[in-house]
Amino acid sequence: MKPVIRLFFIAVLLFPLMTQSQQTSVDIGDIIGGNFVPHPILIAKPYLESSDAGAAANELVSTLGADLDYSGLFEIVDSGPYPAFQGSVNLAPYKSSRAKYVVLLKVGATETQVSVEARFYDLQSESLIVGKVYKWDRKFTRQIAHRFGDEILYRLWGVKGIFTSKIAFSSDRTGSREIWLMDYDGYNQKQITVSKALNLSPDLSPDGKKVVYTTFRFSSEGSGQILVVYSIYDGRKYTFFSKGTLNSAPAWSPDGSRIAFTSNMNGNPEIYVANADGTGAKQLTFGRSIDTSPAWNPASGQIAFTSDKSGNPMIYIMNGDGTNERRLTFVGEYNESAAWSPSGSRLAYVSRSGANFDIFSIEMDTGVVKRLSQNERSNENPYWSPDSRHITFASNRTGKYQIWSMLYDATKLRQLTQDGNNTSPSWAAGE
Amino acid sequence: MKARGLLIFLMIFTLAFVFAGCKKKEPIPEPMPSQNPPVTMPPEPAPMNEQPTGGEPNTADIFEECTRQLQPVFFDYNKSDVREDQAAALQNNARVLKASQCGTVTVLIEGHCDERGTDEYNLALGERRADTAKDYLVNLGIPENRLSTLSYGESRPFAQGHDETAWQQNRRAHFVAVRK
């Protein structure tokens, strides 16, 4: 048995693996079903190839453990009672645990480099589900754990994990409102804009490589908000739209070719869709009401938006060409900030109830509404994770506005930012 | 207050003559309505752009002075229509913008919201508040080309608190006289 496992392992390591680069809109919830019980998984204490690899190994284990736990798909089994990985595969010591899976890590590290052999086994069948070798700059140790976590989810369910995904947001921590980018777990926060103007409402392109946001232009020809597209990894920037004095609430289309946004270029705040280069703007809403905050349904191409045409802001839905408009929310006096899960099955939004603003989510098939926050001051700007399982949002429940994230059922709550006010999170695949 | 206003006015008035005399390149001031004495119009641009020299008085800026005379207009929560009790402020602003001192300045009408609600909705709501105030002034005879709008949404609160006392201060249209 052992030589067979080893051979299989080598084969997996040597052959180029299928990567999960393809965007998927499959909802993992549909695959695992409603009565899913998280899989017990044991991350064995790593085998250290050198004595100074301990810190990197700890970072790997804690990062991967937090990832898998946060997914809501795994339950981390305490590795304390079980022996460390000895460098050559022997699953016997772990078979006595109640874990269904085990992760074995071999870690080597220098001051600048880290090398990892990571293996993920099904303990019952003793089969290697995935094995990967990583050699990277020491500072990317967390990224190695994230990547291997994504591999595990992909191998088990065929969906792309979110552990390498990124969240963009607007923060005033430097004294001016700038666009920032961070890992999905709040680590690695980086400032993107340095314009010292007001920079608001970032929206990441579906591939995570570009961000469109609202900024203010002051000029003698007229001051107002313009929409700017910035390529995060090559620094290129262009003005997407600047007609009128109000250009706001941008949202990339699911294929990244177009952007929906609000503009008053024809007098009243209305929703438009234009090509990503700013050409071909088409007006989708009409009338005297405020229409804003468009959100695409990646599955159907429909657009949800906010309109106060009933007297109060409410959520409406229309086709991507502006036809077939219908009202979605009727309860409360302030519903705003619609966000569609990538699978299209759920729509999250903000509703004011009493003095507070709370996050709600509608099952689109059944119309069942779930409340996801309660009595915790203002909770705004919900945005779904690329795997349709998590929601990030801004809340001032601890004082200032911070970015939070949670599972779709309001469990696994995490605070992701600490400094200044942080708002308008947008979540997309990583680099 | 009145005395100070008069003093500032006189200083500007005096400066107007000084600059009218030495700045040949500046455009000729627009002719004034016949019922006003022709000399009350300060030439543009106002003295703020000039390098201060030791011998010159510290003068107030005409744009600052006009801005000071323009009153804010406050709105109800989530509303952009002009409240009855706010009409007087808009009527005052129309008077100020027709009077000789501020008779040619352009005005940026900023729309503001309280902190509740999202950035995105508040940007649109602030724009609507600025638009409403602009429409009101146009109806009172102020040329549209002297008025422009800009929404700050909730991003530039005037009062920093987190209760109705602060919020009602922040739901406003704010008027700023600007250089065209």
Side-chain angles (χ1 to χ4, degrees):
Chain A
M1 194 68 185
K2 249 168 71 180
V4 174
I5 292 172
R6 190 168 297 156
L7 221 133
F8 182 44
F9 177 57
I10 289 165
V12 170
L13 288 180
L14 291 182
F15 285 90
L17 298 171
M18 269 176 66
T19 53
Q20 66 278 48
S21 60
Q22 203 181 341
Q23 281 295 123
T24 174
S25 63
V26 177
D27 190 335
I28 198 169
D30 295 339
I31 300 170
I32 61 179
N35 298 319
F36 177 78
V37 177
H39 294 313
I41 184 170
L42 193 146
I43 304 172
K45 283 168 279 194
Y47 172 75
L48 305 183
E49 288 189 307
S50 57
S51 57
D52 50 3
N58 288 342
E59 199 174 350
L60 279 164
V61 170
S62 65
T63 305
L64 181 61
D67 282 351
L68 297 176
D69 172 69
Y70 180 72
S71 72
L73 300 168
F74 295 93
E75 178 212 340
I76 307 296
V77 174
D78 178 18
S79 65
Y82 305 99
F85 177 42
Q86 296 302 309
S88 62
V89 176
N90 174 18
L91 300 178
Y94 312 113
K95 291 196 76 165
S96 63
S97 77
R98 52 190 195 83
K100 190 169 183 223
Y101 302 105
V102 66
V103 172
L104 302 178
L105 299 168
K106 188 187 278 187
V107 185
T110 66
E111 240 173 69
T112 57
Q113 290 280 311
V114 60
S115 63
V116 180
E117 277 182 39
R119 302 157 204 220
F120 175 64
Y121 282 92
D122 183 319
L123 276 172
Q124 200 178 7
S125 64
E126 297 192 14
S127 56
L128 177 72
I129 299 171
V130 59
K132 296 285 268 184
V133 173
Y134 303 90
K135 276 195 170 68
W136 219 349
D137 194 301
R138 174 73 176 83
K139 71 183 176 197
F140 295 134
T141 305
R142 293 186 66 84
Q143 299 305 321
I144 292 174
H146 290 324
R147 287 186 177 216
F148 193 64
D150 274 357
E151 289 288 345
I152 290 173
L153 260 65
Y154 184 69
R155 297 295 163 157
L156 288 184
W157 292 290
V159 297
K160 182 162 168 52
I162 57 164
F163 308 136
T164 53
S165 63
K166 300 275 190 181
I167 295 173
F169 56 101
S170 174
S171 177
D172 70 358
R173 69 184 67 175
T174 59
S176 58
R177 285 283 288 272
E178 305 284 2
I179 307 301
W180 286 66
L181 188 72
M182 63 183 169
D183 292 351
Y184 93 106
D185 58 3
Y187 282 78
N188 203 18
Q189 301 192 10
K190 290 206 167 86
Q191 189 175 344
I192 299 295
T193 62
V194 282
S195 72
K196 298 210 161 64
L198 282 161
N199 299 288
L200 308 170
S201 309
D203 193 60
L204 285 169
S205 59
D207 64 5
K209 291 184 174 142
K210 297 193 204 90
V211 62
V212 58
Y213 59 94
T214 303
T215 190
F216 283 65
R217 181 181 65 183
F218 300 94
S219 81
S220 53
E221 294 96 68
S223 301
Q225 297 106 30
I226 62 171
L227 294 171
V228 170
V229 172
Y230 183 76
S231 294
I232 295 167
Y233 301 102
D234 66 19
R236 280 181 296 172
K237 192 167 99 167
Y238 64 88
T239 298
F240 161 69
F241 215 82
S242 62
K243 292 176 189 155
T245 58
L246 173 77
N247 293 287
S248 60
W252 289 92
S253 67
D255 66 358
S257 70
R258 291 174 295 160
I259 297 171
F261 60 103
T262 303
S263 175
N264 71 343
M265 63 184 281
N266 290 331
N268 196 51
E270 305 285 1
I271 292 168
Y272 294 78
V273 173
N275 297 323
D277 64 2
T279 62
K282 184 175 187 292
Q283 185 172 346
L284 299 190
T285 62
F286 299 86
R288 284 293 301 156
S289 54
I290 292 176
D291 299 312
T292 187
S293 305
W296 298 83
N297 179 335
S300 71
Q302 288 177 305
I303 294 174
F305 64 102
T306 304
S307 176
D308 73 342
K309 63 181 70 177
S310 72
N312 289 313
M314 291 285 155
I315 308 293
Y316 291 73
I317 293 174
M318 62 185 167
N319 291 350
D321 61 0
T323 60
N324 203 18
E325 182 185 301
R326 69 182 176 96
R327 182 169 165 183
L328 183 69
T329 65
F330 292 86
V331 180
E333 59 180 52
Y334 188 108
N335 295 320
E336 218 292 86
S337 215
W340 237 309
S341 69
S343 66
S345 59
R346 295 193 182 95
L347 184 139
Y349 63 99
V350 170
S351 183
R352 179 167 173 257
S353 41
N356 297 313
F357 291 81
D358 285 304
I359 312 276
F360 290 76
S361 163
I362 301 183
E363 303 272 352
M364 294 305 293
D365 284 347
T366 61
V368 172
V369 175
K370 282 188 184 139
R371 183 183 195 131
L372 301 180
S373 64
Q374 194 152 16
N375 299 325
E376 285 163 317
R377 301 185 67 188
S378 283
N379 302 276
E380 300 173 3
N381 299 122
Y383 202 102
W384 290 87
S385 60
D387 72 351
S388 296
R389 279 183 56 82
H390 297 81
I391 295 172
T392 181
F393 59 101
S395 175
N396 63 352
R397 60 183 66 182
T398 55
K400 291 188 168 185
Y401 277 96
Q402 302 298 344
I403 308 295
W404 296 70
S405 74
M406 61 185 171
L407 210 53
Y408 66 92
D409 61 1
T411 61
K412 305 285 184 194
L413 191 66
R414 272 181 173 178
Q415 183 178 344
L416 303 180
T417 59
Q418 281 80 31
D419 304 327
N421 287 288
N422 303 275
T423 55
S424 298
S426 166
W427 201 335
E431 193 180 359
Chain B
M1 206 59 176
K2 262 193 178 155
R4 187 171 157 261
L6 188 67
L7 186 65
I8 291 166
F9 181 69
L10 282 173
M11 288 194 305
I12 291 162
F13 194 30
T14 314
L15 268 174
F17 277 104
V18 173
F19 285 109
C22 65
K23 294 270 296 178
K24 288 259 161 49
K25 273 184 240 164
E26 297 307 327
I28 296 160
E30 283 180 36
M32 294 307 297
S34 57
Q35 65 265 37
N36 291 342
V39 287
T40 53
M41 185 55 208
E44 292 184 37
M48 198 170 115
N49 283 342
E50 303 297 325
Q51 288 294 323
T53 56
E56 288 198 37
N58 188 11
T59 60
D61 181 282
I62 187 70
F63 295 97
E64 285 172 17
E65 173 55 20
C66 293
T67 299
R68 195 186 63 77
Q69 294 179 26
L70 293 166
Q71 295 173 2
V73 173
F74 298 98
F75 295 86
D76 282 338
Y77 172 67
N78 217 7
K79 297 281 185 251
S80 57
D81 49 325
V82 175
R83 271 170 19 201
E84 250 176 61
D85 67 339
Q86 297 300 308
L90 283 162
Q91 284 153 12
N92 166 78
N93 293 352
R95 269 196 307 278
V96 168
L97 295 176
K98 284 177 186 172
S100 53
Q101 187 183 16
C102 306
T104 60
V105 296
T106 34
V107 172
L108 177 64
I109 308 174
E110 300 174 358
H112 296 272
C113 302
D114 70 39
E115 63 180 344
R116 294 172 295 170
T118 61
D119 278 340
E120 294 74 26
Y121 193 79
N122 282 337
L123 277 179
L125 181 61
E127 183 63 43
R128 282 290 290 271
R129 286 174 176 164
D131 288 346
T132 308
K134 178 184 167 183
D135 291 348
Y136 203 104
L137 291 180
V138 169
N139 283 334
L140 291 176
I142 307 301
E144 199 173 350
N145 62 12
R146 289 179 59 197
L147 304 170
S148 61
T149 59
L150 174 65
S151 175
Y152 278 105
E154 64 184 89
S155 56
R156 291 277 161 87
F158 289 79
Q160 295 296 332
H162 302 289
D163 54 22
E164 181 55 29
T165 313
W167 292 335
Q168 63 184 347
Q169 287 294 309
N170 295 332
R171 295 190 299 262
R172 69 153 117 198
H174 184 72
F175 299 79
V176 185
V178 290
R179 285 168 185 79
K180 179 75 178 167

